[in-house]
Amino acid sequence: MARNIDALTAAQVSAAVAAGELSAVEVARAALAAIEAREPQVQAFLQVTPELALEAAERVDAARAAGEKLGPLAGVPVAVKDNMNLIGTRTTCASRMLENYESPYTATCVQRLLDAGCVPVGKANMDEFAFGSSTDSSAFHPTNNPWDLERVPGGSSGGSAAAVAAGMAPIALGSDTGGSIRQPAALCGVVGMKPTYGAVSRYGVVAFGSSLDQVGPFGRTVEDVALAMDALVAGGRDLYDSTAQDVAPSFAEALRAAEAGLDGKRIGLVPAFMEAEGLTGEVKQGVLAAARALEDAGAELVEVDLPHVDAAIAAYYVIGPSEAFSNLARFDGIRYGYQEPGCASLAEQSARSRAHGFGAEAKRRQMLGAYLLSSGVYDTYYYAAQKARTLITADYTAAFSQVDAILMPATPHAAFRHGEISDPTQMYLSDMYTISLNIAGNGGISVPVGLGAGTGMPMAAQLVTPAFADERLITFGAVIERALAGDGGSVLGVAPAFAGKGGELA
Amino acid sequence: MRELQEVLQDWEAVIGLEIHTELTALETKMFCNCKLTHDDEPNTHVCPVCLGLPGARPVPNRRAIESIVKAGLATNCEIQKHSMFYRKHYFYPDMAKNFQTTQGPVAFCMHGHLDLEVTGRGAAERPACAFGEAEAESLASSSAGAVGLSADLSRMAGEKGAPASAEGALAGLSSYDTASLATAERREDGSYTVPIRILRIHMEEDAAKMVHVGGEEGRIGGAAESLIDYNRCGTPLIELVTEPDLRTPEEARLFMEKLRRIFVTLGISDCSMEKGSMRCDGNVSLRRRGDTKLGVKTELKNLNSFKALHDGLAYEICRQAEVLEEGGEIYQETRHWEPSRRRTVVMRTKETADDYRFFPDPDLAPFDLTDEFIERCRAEIPELPDAKRDRYQHDLAIKRADAEQIAGDPATADFFEAVMAVADRAEAQNVANLVVNDLAAYLKGDAAATLADAFAPAQVAALAHLLATDAIASNQASEVIAAMAGTEADPEAIVDERGMRQVNDDGALQTVVDAVLARCADQAQQYRDGNQKVIGFLVGQCMRESKGSGNPKRFNELLRASLS
Amino acid sequence: MALTEDDVRGIADYARIALEGEELAEMTSYLNDAVAMLEPVLAYNLPDVEPTFHPIGDLSNVMRADAIEPVRDLARDAALGNAGSAREEYFRVPSILGGE
């Protein structure tokens, strides 16, 4: 059985491990070998964790040998974004500030995947503290898009998306504050889901914007994303996160619902989004291909309007930086993090530790937040942004009274080249289609639809559903996937340059 | 400097208090499951949440919320159903996140009051001119917006103005129910009662403890470095802010004592000023009697005992008066009370950022307390000290001062009630005398000892009966107490064994009186000539003659009868 | 009204971010660009719209039992392990008031 690990989905790995066709250790070794072969070009990881992976794999194999029931993701390699704590790893947030920070505890989302039998192969690169859309702002190194190494993988969860696209892990965890799962998923040609705010615990995930952040999975198939979602919510509401809520682990079930077709379902399209300035023709074509797939399955396409969504980017850049300033205030070099040596006073030590520990974008966002929260300014901007949030949420509610889901682009364009967008405020626009969901809180999924006619790069469509109706994302996403891919397979699969490179299973 | 009472004739002191109370009765911290401790090894009760580690998130302690609701109900506050936690930012290492999680413009408890009964010598601090209309005007012109509020609240005042904000429902917030407030009136004995309005009680978390090394007396100035212990960080803390309705240091002291008794009775805190679980800052400004414009206030820190609270405020009032009388100016500043030198000095503090950049904490869901939640808290409130005092006074005919003292301490009150369950109600005052004076005096040497540990209620009831029936003299009680403490001995048996029982038989006593009067004819004559004092000498002689067994009270009566 | 370098220096002091050399000018320019980009949101400061501080529907009154959970306690070595400087069992900071 000379297969390559990258040819298997998470579902296939766990089935094979459960059936005894593969041992978890074999899988882990293959994944580590694939990483060794591919990582020099992709640079998706900040830390590869062979010891942790093999230990976890051995536990799975021992459990199987003892006749214990295996978790639903037994033996499945997973890449974890480096803003998630995992004991035995550093959690750096791709920042000099946390370069040597050893995780003192494990995040709930990571723990739940481990409990489901996952094998952690490494910590994935990201934009520093998740501020960015390219992963270029990592303090350590950029990550390259596996489909074209000259291009960015998107961000901030670029390492997670690239690891999955390059076949170094079938699934990965990311976090999404303004599109940080869906945008890199789109640019790397993998499936990436941001569930409803509160569906997945944020405990142990280093905060950027507390009212915006949400954890979610990447996979090469909708099925793998569904399995990961079930594992993430299976433990019930996390008692360590006040904003977490109970979600039924019904995602795998929702996948099966796709087989029944979409008769009677209504899918919304937002004309203003499809005609927006900056949307490239190839992306638009991809979204329309997805729309046809849904229509072919029996769904009716309906035009809907989100009149206040224009305010989303501005609202986001008020709320996000304000919360980021507050959340990052704790990095003062005292309890953890970079500490500037030789300072005569505490104030000097804090100011220099922060100046040298944080990169440019992290400083910019915190400065913006500190300004926006200051006396007088706060009343003007913060309240306006939170009112815009009310209106955007109401827009979605109104739209969902007409349709079951909305289909839209995930990004305006294909992956751009490293350094192509240098102006930070221009960079902010690459989240134009994803950001409103973080403002309103409901879930979305980015599903690959093929390669663009112009760039030859992955194209994607985004599905959006009402709050706590995330299982529909899986159902509708699976319909698109089945229409555009082969039998039960992935739309784009592993990036061709990396498929089969290292990682053979014995 | 002039004396306080003299100063207060000319100047009116406007005092507000900010009182922080740690909810020490809880098991765990405000937002995490770490154990609450006071003196454990440093940094041994810390977790990702209270250490502010990246990725950690808070979850509020239900009992802390119940505790503050009870505190609000017990101080006549209106419980706000809707409120949120806010983040208050300042860079200082005692707050692990560099922000404190506290409440916004709407606190769980708003607009309460306590009636303060001021009796005894301290009542004289408030001069006669500060009653009636003057008092009403004074209160009306010293509302919270003007003085006594810390920077965080004035910051929020701005937010109140924000139109249609979620918390801008503040506009619909009730204010004080002025009709229910008492008016100050001086009684014949000099005592008086004044209402003290409570602006709010909000929930927050305590800071870590810092040790400053290398500076004078562990103070921050001159310290070469500081060490931080996060065990206390995250301890549930309630902050009560009064309106500036207090007018004398005695009132401030009594308010604090009263609040302490209430909180102790509620069972939410040990309220130890010594250990720092109850802390008080005072704001004080002066204005000329009759003025309505408020003066510049100073904030006093280190008022960590009832005495310090009184003396610190008294000093500061006199200091301000002196400065003002010499044409000087008061600066808005924070001053530190130095009890050993009996003075306040300007504090050198951390750089204070006045702009705390408050905003609602997105990691914490808002609160919409239900009626059921509030009523459940109400049902758990035990009888409060004032009600208990009144009950003792009216139902058991105990002196108000004694009733107040017993009612103020839950353990004492419980013990007293246990004794009364087996004692004769007519002897309640005897029981009260024992509890307040003799038993307390016996236990004084041993801080850890409690009444219930040392004595059985039946013993105390029996002893009270012996006293009430004159079987022993009041000055003999201590001997019986010493003998019965920690034993099961019956006081009656002790009295009999030791031959302590007083002779109350008039026939036998008259024989003694006659013998003494015969021996002390000179003194008898002096009495008849009007020297009342000599009766004491004669009673003493009778006691000697009876070898201490006669009832001195009865001797006194028989002597007077014989000499009239 | 545009932010001046003085304004930005004040914010940086507050936020404890030492700006060096060119950084002050760059930051000032960035902040002014960013604030200009936020302009559209000001149109939403509408009197009859309630702000949404928490995107979680009607979730409220989230509380936990007052019970000790030693499983989350950090061993002191772990607590102090990431600190830049510690003295014995304490976290350590340099002089708070500086060498004044």
Side-chain angles (χ1 to χ4, degrees):
Chain A
M1 198 168 65
R3 284 181 293 177
N4 193 287
I5 179 68
D6 70 17
L8 300 180
T9 63
Q12 288 165 335
V13 168
S14 60
V17 168
E21 293 163 21
L22 287 173
S23 75
V25 167
E26 269 180 88
V27 172
R29 290 221 170 95
L32 292 167
I35 291 171
E36 204 180 327
R38 305 171 196 193
E39 177 63 1
Q41 285 163 289
V42 182
Q43 298 189 63
F45 290 95
L46 291 172
Q47 186 182 4
V48 179
T49 56
E51 289 92 359
L52 286 185
L54 291 170
E55 272 168 39
E58 280 160 14
R59 274 198 304 276
V60 170
D61 289 338
R64 185 173 185 279
E68 291 166 27
K69 188 175 185 302
L70 296 186
L73 293 172
V76 174
V78 62
V80 174
K81 188 176 182 179
D82 205 29
N83 61 352
M84 298 171 181
N85 280 275
L86 167 59
I87 289 180
T89 69
R90 292 181 296 280
T91 297
T92 72
C93 293
S95 177
R96 295 278 172 219
M97 178 58 86
L98 291 176
E99 187 165 8
N100 301 308
Y101 183 73
E102 294 291 338
S103 314
Y105 68 112
T106 296
T108 302
C109 59
V110 177
Q111 188 62 51
R112 287 186 174 183
L113 287 193
L114 299 184
D115 292 347
C118 278
V119 169
V121 294
K123 301 294 283 294
N125 199 14
M126 55 188 282
D127 281 299
E128 185 183 12
F129 280 102
F131 301 134
S133 310
S134 66
T135 309
D136 282 353
S137 74
S138 166
F140 304 109
H141 55 73
T143 292
N144 300 319
N145 192 313
W147 290 84
D148 176 354
L149 299 175
E150 304 284 303
R151 294 176 189 261
V152 303
S156 65
S157 312
S160 301
V164 173
M168 296 192 278
I171 58 171
L173 280 181
S175 64
D176 187 317
T177 306
S180 285
I181 292 173
R182 293 159 290 154
Q183 186 257 17
L187 301 195
C188 290
V190 299
V191 182
M193 172 162 164
K194 179 201 94 83
T196 302
Y197 180 85
V200 179
S201 167
R202 293 180 293 123
Y203 182 73
V205 181
V206 181
F208 158 7
S210 301
S211 75
L212 306 161
D213 295 343
Q214 187 52 212
V215 172
F218 292 91
R220 287 189 298 272
T221 63
V222 173
E223 180 182 25
D224 283 0
V225 164
L227 293 178
M229 276 306 300
D230 276 340
L232 288 170
V233 304
R237 182 174 84 81
D238 180 18
L239 301 179
Y240 291 164
D241 178 353
S242 292
T243 60
Q245 301 195 43
D246 258 319
V247 170
S250 58
F251 293 94
E253 206 180 301
L255 186 80
R256 289 189 287 277
E259 289 159 20
L262 298 181
D263 284 341
K265 303 291 183 204
R266 294 158 68 90
I267 305 289
L269 285 169
V270 185
F273 280 2
M274 299 305 288
E275 304 307 326
E277 193 187 335
L279 178 67
T280 60
E282 57 176 4
V283 173
K284 186 174 174 180
Q285 287 313 310
V287 176
L288 293 175
R292 277 193 302 277
L294 294 166
E295 206 170 18
D296 291 348
E300 182 190 350
L301 298 180
V302 177
E303 286 191 354
V304 291
D305 190 20
L306 301 168
H308 300 98
V309 87
D310 284 352
I313 285 195
Y316 178 85
Y317 280 97
V318 173
I319 299 166
S322 295
E323 293 180 347
F325 159 72
S326 176
N327 285 326
L328 270 60
R330 68 189 63 194
F331 296 101
D332 56 12
I334 296 171
R335 290 157 298 279
Y336 42 79
Y338 174 75
Q339 184 180 89
E340 181 88 356
C343 294
S345 74
L346 174 63
E348 183 192 347
Q349 180 182 293
S350 303
R352 291 186 179 278
S353 299
R354 288 163 64 75
H356 297 154
F358 289 129
E361 186 64 15
K363 285 188 240 184
R364 285 196 283 262
R365 303 266 182 128
Q366 290 183 78
M367 286 290 291
L368 181 56
Y371 168 68
L372 291 169
L373 286 176
S374 62
S375 234
V377 182
Y378 170 79
D379 297 324
T380 314
Y381 286 93
Y382 192 80
Y383 270 86
Q386 301 290 29
K387 289 176 177 186
R389 180 176 229 163
T390 304
L391 296 171
I392 292 165
T393 308
D395 281 357
Y396 275 112
T397 306
F400 288 126
S401 68
Q402 305 167 56
V403 296
D404 299 288
I406 301 172
L407 184 72
M408 59 176 82
T411 68
H413 44 63
F416 44 92
R417 290 189 174 77
H418 290 293
E420 191 177 330
I421 303 179
S422 57
D423 177 5
T425 51
Q426 276 305 307
M427 182 76 89
Y428 298 167
L429 293 176
S430 55
D431 292 333
M432 61 188 275
Y433 290 115
T434 45
I435 244 167
S436 65
L437 293 200
N438 300 84
I439 298 286
N442 50 330
I445 193 169
S446 174
V447 182
V449 293
L451 297 178
T455 57
M457 292 298 289
M459 298 288 119
Q462 181 181 208
L463 281 161
V464 176
T465 48
F468 295 105
D470 299 333
E471 64 284 349
R472 282 187 216 165
L473 296 172
I474 297 295
T475 307
F476 298 142
V479 167
I480 295 173
E481 184 179 72
R482 277 166 204 197
L484 301 174
D487 282 335
S490 153
V491 174
L492 287 173
V494 175
F498 295 95
K501 192 171 174 185
E504 286 80 19
L505 289 159
Chain B
M1 281 189 335
R2 295 199 291 156
E3 291 293 317
L4 176 70
Q5 250 164 282
E6 206 183 314
V7 167
L8 289 179
Q9 292 292 334
D10 302 336
W11 296 91
E12 181 182 47
V14 176
I15 302 168
L17 301 179
E18 291 174 18
I19 300 167
H20 288 89
T21 308
E22 291 179 351
L23 301 179
T24 56
L26 272 52
E27 296 289 327
T28 64
K29 295 186 180 181
M30 186 62 225
F31 296 113
C32 63
N33 305 74
C34 282
K35 186 169 183 261
L36 287 189
T37 58
H38 250 283
D39 35 28
D40 273 9
E41 288 283 296
N43 295 307
T44 49
H45 297 287
V46 291
C47 78
V49 178
C50 55
L51 209 51
L53 296 189
R57 296 204 159 64
V59 185
N61 182 335
R62 176 185 297 274
R63 263 185 77 206
I65 309 296
E66 289 168 353
S67 299
I68 193 172
V69 168
K70 287 181 197 176
L73 292 170
T75 52
N76 307 299
C77 288
E78 179 167 315
I79 305 304
Q80 299 304 313
K81 290 180 179 172
H82 181 80
S83 67
M84 294 193 281
F85 279 108
Y86 275 60
R87 294 180 178 185
K88 174 185 180 182
H89 301 84
Y90 60 92
F91 281 84
Y92 199 67
D94 66 357
M95 224 12 113
K97 300 163 291 180
N98 283 323
F99 62 77
Q100 182 189 32
T101 309
T102 180
Q103 288 201 279
V106 180
F108 281 116
C109 316
M110 302 288 292
H111 299 134
H113 69 93
L114 286 177
D115 288 340
L116 200 61
E117 201 170 304
V118 188
T119 58
R121 269 193 309 159
E125 283 183 7
R126 186 188 268 246
C129 62
F131 287 93
E133 266 177 43
E135 156 78 5
E137 248 166 55
S138 162
L139 279 186
S141 61
S142 63
S143 74
V147 290
L149 286 182
S150 49
D152 48 316
L153 286 172
S154 24
R155 149 82 167 148
M156 289 171 191
E159 196 164 317
K160 287 184 198 178
S165 70
E167 303 234 336
L170 201 63
L173 253 183
S174 78
S175 192
Y176 297 99
D177 177 8
T178 41
S180 78
L181 298 177
T183 11
E185 229 172 304
R186 180 154 253 160
R187 289 181 281 272
E188 272 177 22
D189 63 357
S191 69
Y192 60 92
T193 303
V194 276
I196 307 301
R197 291 170 301 166
I198 295 164
L199 176 65
R200 56 191 263 132
I201 314 177
H202 66 253
M203 186 87 242
E204 58 186 32
E205 54 179 343
D206 207 349
K209 267 188 191 149
M210 298 192 53
V211 184
H212 305 297
V213 183
E216 186 197 350
E217 288 176 33
R219 297 271 298 280
I220 192 169
E225 60 180 15
S226 300
L227 305 178
I228 318 163
D229 166 14
Y230 287 97
N231 280 352
R232 195 181 69 182
C233 193
T235 295
L237 196 64
I238 59 175
E239 179 177 349
L240 179 148
V241 182
T242 73
E243 294 282 357
D245 289 355
L246 298 151
R247 294 290 175 268
T248 71
E250 176 71 358
E251 290 172 14
R253 188 182 70 79
L254 289 173
F255 181 86
M256 185 76 173
E257 279 189 355
K258 177 159 191 162
L259 193 68
R260 181 183 181 281
R261 287 196 298 270
I262 291 172
F263 286 176
V264 167
T265 302
L266 288 175
I268 59 176
S269 174
D270 63 10
C271 295
S272 164
M273 293 186 78
E274 197 184 2
K275 285 193 285 179
S277 55
M278 195 176 194
R279 311 190 282 268
C280 180
D281 298 335
N283 292 294
V284 57
S285 67
L286 295 192
R287 59 182 172 188
R288 286 278 179 193
R289 290 274 166 207
D291 275 6
T292 50
K293 190 172 176 294
L294 288 160
V296 174
K297 62 157 184 168
T298 58
E299 183 176 0
L300 290 195
K301 301 251 183 204
N302 199 37
L303 304 176
N304 52 17
S305 69
F306 294 114
K307 186 170 160 45
L309 174 58
H310 179 276
D311 295 355
L313 285 169
Y315 170 86
E316 182 60 15
I317 290 166
C318 296
R319 183 193 73 84
Q320 287 190 13
E322 189 174 77
V323 169
L324 293 168
E325 282 163 9
E326 287 172 0
E329 200 180 330
I330 301 298
Y331 301 99
Q332 186 159 341
E333 61 195 6
T334 302
R335 300 179 68 89
H336 186 89
W337 168 242
E338 294 185 340
S340 56
R341 297 186 186 161
R342 304 194 57 75
R343 62 172 190 182
T344 63
V345 291
V346 179
M347 251 175 110
R348 300 184 63 209
T349 49
K350 59 194 178 191
E351 265 172 75
T352 46
D354 283 335
D355 189 348
Y356 290 115
R357 285 156 163 92
F358 273 92
F359 77 102
D361 192 325
D363 277 329
L364 287 159
F367 280 85
D368 286 292
L369 298 179
T370 60
D371 288 329
E372 192 197 354
F373 183 92
I374 297 168
E375 288 316 309
R376 216 167 37 235
C377 292
R378 195 191 304 276
E380 281 176 18
I381 294 178
E383 185 182 29
L384 291 173
D386 278 7
K388 202 167 264 190
R389 173 201 63 204
D390 292 349
R391 181 163 62 83
Y392 293 165
Q393 186 188 5
H394 297 127
D395 295 6
L396 299 171
I398 293 171
K399 281 187 252 165
R400 192 168 173 83
D402 293 340
E404 170 121 6
Q405 198 172 331
I406 295 168
D409 176 61
T412 306
D414 286 350
F415 183 76
F416 173 75
E417 304 223 358
V419 175
M420 286 314 300
V422 292
D424 186 339
R425 286 171 68 88
E427 294 166 3
Q429 184 62 51
N430 300 89
V431 174
N433 290 344
L434 284 170
V435 168
V436 170
N437 303 314
D438 309 73
L439 299 180
Y442 177 79
L443 293 179
K444 204 162 189 180
D446 184 358
T450 67
L451 286 168
D453 290 342
F455 307 106
Q459 285 179 316
V460 178
L463 178 56
H465 181 70
L466 289 168
L467 288 161
T469 55
D470 286 335
I472 58 168
S474 58
N475 60 8
Q476 292 176 296
S478 61
E479 188 184 336
V480 181
I481 288 167
M484 75 187 195
T487 75
E488 289 176 10
D490 176 9
E492 194 144 0
I494 293 170
V495 165
D496 287 335
E497 267 167 36
R498 302 191 174 203
M500 295 168 71
R501 199 174 278 276
Q502 290 188 132
V503 175
N504 288 310
D505 170 48
D506 277 2
L509 295 179
Q510 189 63 49
T511 314
V512 175
V513 167
D514 292 346
V516 167
L517 287 180
R519 184 149 51 76
C520 305
D522 286 358
Q523 286 83 359
Q525 191 51 49
Q526 284 172 26
Y527 180 85
R528 288 193 193 93
D529 292 347
N531 182 358
Q532 298 273 326
K533 279 186 191 161
V534 82
I535 201 84
F537 171 81
L538 293 170
V539 171
Q541 291 302 310
C542 291
M543 289 304 288
R544 206 155 132 193
E545 184 80 18
S546 70
K547 300 196 172 65
S549 69
N551 178 345
K553 216 165 83 194
R554 199 65 200 127
F555 275 137
N556 189 309
E557 286 156 12
L558 292 171
L559 281 166
R560 286 176 194 275
S562 302
L563 291 168
S564 63
Chain C
M1 200 176 61
L3 285 161
T4 65
E5 290 195 2
D6 269 355
D7 297 334
V8 175
R9 192 179 293 115
I11 300 167
D13 281 350
Y14 169 82
R16 296 282 197 280
I17 296 176
L19 296 178
E20 289 150 5
E22 297 292 296
E23 285 181 315
L24 182 64
E26 284 166 18
M27 188 63 80
T28 306
S29 149
Y30 163 77
L31 285 176
N32 281 313
D33 285 355
V35 171
M37 187 187 82
L38 302 180
E39 202 73 14
V41 86
L42 298 180
Y44 292 86
N45 217 341
L46 305 166
D48 52 348
V49 177
E50 288 292 320
T52 300
F53 296 113
H54 300 89
I56 45 179
D58 49 7
L59 185 69
S60 65
N61 301 333
V62 178
M63 291 178 268
R64 63 176 175 83
D66 178 33
I68 297 166
E69 244 180 61
V71 64
R72 265 213 292 185
D73 272 11
L74 293 171
R76 188 154 63 198
D77 288 351
L80 293 170
N82 277 308
S85 49
R87 169 142 312 167
E88 290 157 5
E89 59 271 42
Y90 293 94
F91 293 86
R92 181 203 161 274
V93 294
S95 170
I96 288 170
L97 296 175
E100 297 165 31

